[in-house]
Amino acid sequence: MIRLTPIKERTIMTHTIREATSQDTQMITEFIINLTGKTISPIHVASRMLNMLDLPDERLYVYEEHGRLLGTLGFRIRRSEGTAVTFGEASLLAEAAPRQQLADFAEQLASEHGCSGMWWLSGLPSEPDALTANPRHTDNALIGSQESGYRFVKQFL
C-alpha cells in the first residue's frame, strides 16, 4: 500500500500552500460562504476534516496569501484494483488568482506519489466568479487533459 505523505507546507514569495488543520475550520467555512453565497456549517467542515484524518490517501490543502485564504485543494490517491496503477484525484475551489498554483501543486503531489495521471473532479473556471466549469469551457490550466465524461484526465505516462 502506498501511503500519501502530505507536504506539510510550501512557501513561495507571498503565498503559502499547506495542509489544512482543525484551526482552519472557521476560515474555510467563511471562504466557502463568501465564494458560493451559500451557507455551510463550521460543524460540517470540521466533520469532513476529521473524517479525512482516518483516510491515509486523502488531504485538504489551503492556499493563503498575506494571511488571507484564497483557495482549497482536495487531493487523494486512487488505486485501480488488481493493478499497480494509481491516479491523483483533485478538486479545487479557489478565487481566480491561485488556480494555476493549486493545479501545479496537485500535479506535483501526484508526481511525488508515482501516479500515472490526474483526475480533476472539478474544472478550473474560466470566469472569475464561476465555481464549476463547463467541461467544454475550461481555461488553460487543464491543457493536456482529456474529457472523460465527468472527469478531466491528465495522463503522465
Side-chain angles (χ1 to χ4, degrees):
M1 174 192 234
I2 297 173
R3 189 160 172 97
L4 179 64
T5 306
I7 297 171
K8 294 294 182 190
E9 187 169 312
R10 175 160 300 139
T11 303
I12 303 170
M13 297 176 74
T14 62
H15 73 268
T16 301
I17 300 173
R18 63 175 176 78
E19 190 172 330
T21 67
S22 60
Q23 289 80 21
D24 296 318
T25 300
Q26 188 62 40
M27 184 170 58
I28 292 169
T29 302
E30 291 170 8
F31 170 73
I32 292 170
I33 291 170
N34 289 336
L35 198 62
T36 66
K38 297 179 181 179
T39 303
I40 184 170
S41 166
I43 295 169
H44 178 79
V45 173
S47 174
R48 181 66 186 120
M49 290 175 65
L50 186 60
N51 287 341
M52 291 175 86
L53 292 176
D54 293 331
L55 303 170
D57 293 342
E58 188 170 340
R59 295 288 178 263
L60 178 66
Y61 296 90
V62 294
Y63 178 105
E64 293 177 302
E65 193 168 295
H66 303 291
R68 185 172 165 245
L69 180 73
L70 298 178
T72 62
L73 171 74
F75 183 84
R76 71 176 69 166
I77 300 293
R78 292 289 191 193
R79 292 172 181 69
S80 295
E81 288 191 37
T83 70
V85 176
T86 60
F87 274 83
E89 184 177 89
S91 183
L92 173 59
L93 183 60
E95 292 185 6
R99 288 185 194 133
Q100 186 62 54
Q101 290 94 332
L102 284 166
D104 292 346
F105 184 74
E107 287 188 16
Q108 180 182 342
L109 286 171
S111 177
E112 288 174 5
H113 294 288
C115 295
S116 303
M118 288 280 301
W119 288 338
W120 284 101
L121 295 182
S122 60
L124 304 178
S126 305
E127 301 290 326
D129 295 327
L131 297 176
T132 58
N134 179 329
R136 293 157 189 50
H137 299 94
T138 58
D139 67 12
N140 293 334
L142 291 174
I143 287 177
S145 299
Q146 301 163 349
E147 188 178 339
S148 65
Y150 64 98
R151 291 182 173 152
F152 296 94
V153 176
K154 184 167 191 172
Q155 297 288 333
F156 293 147
L157 302 175

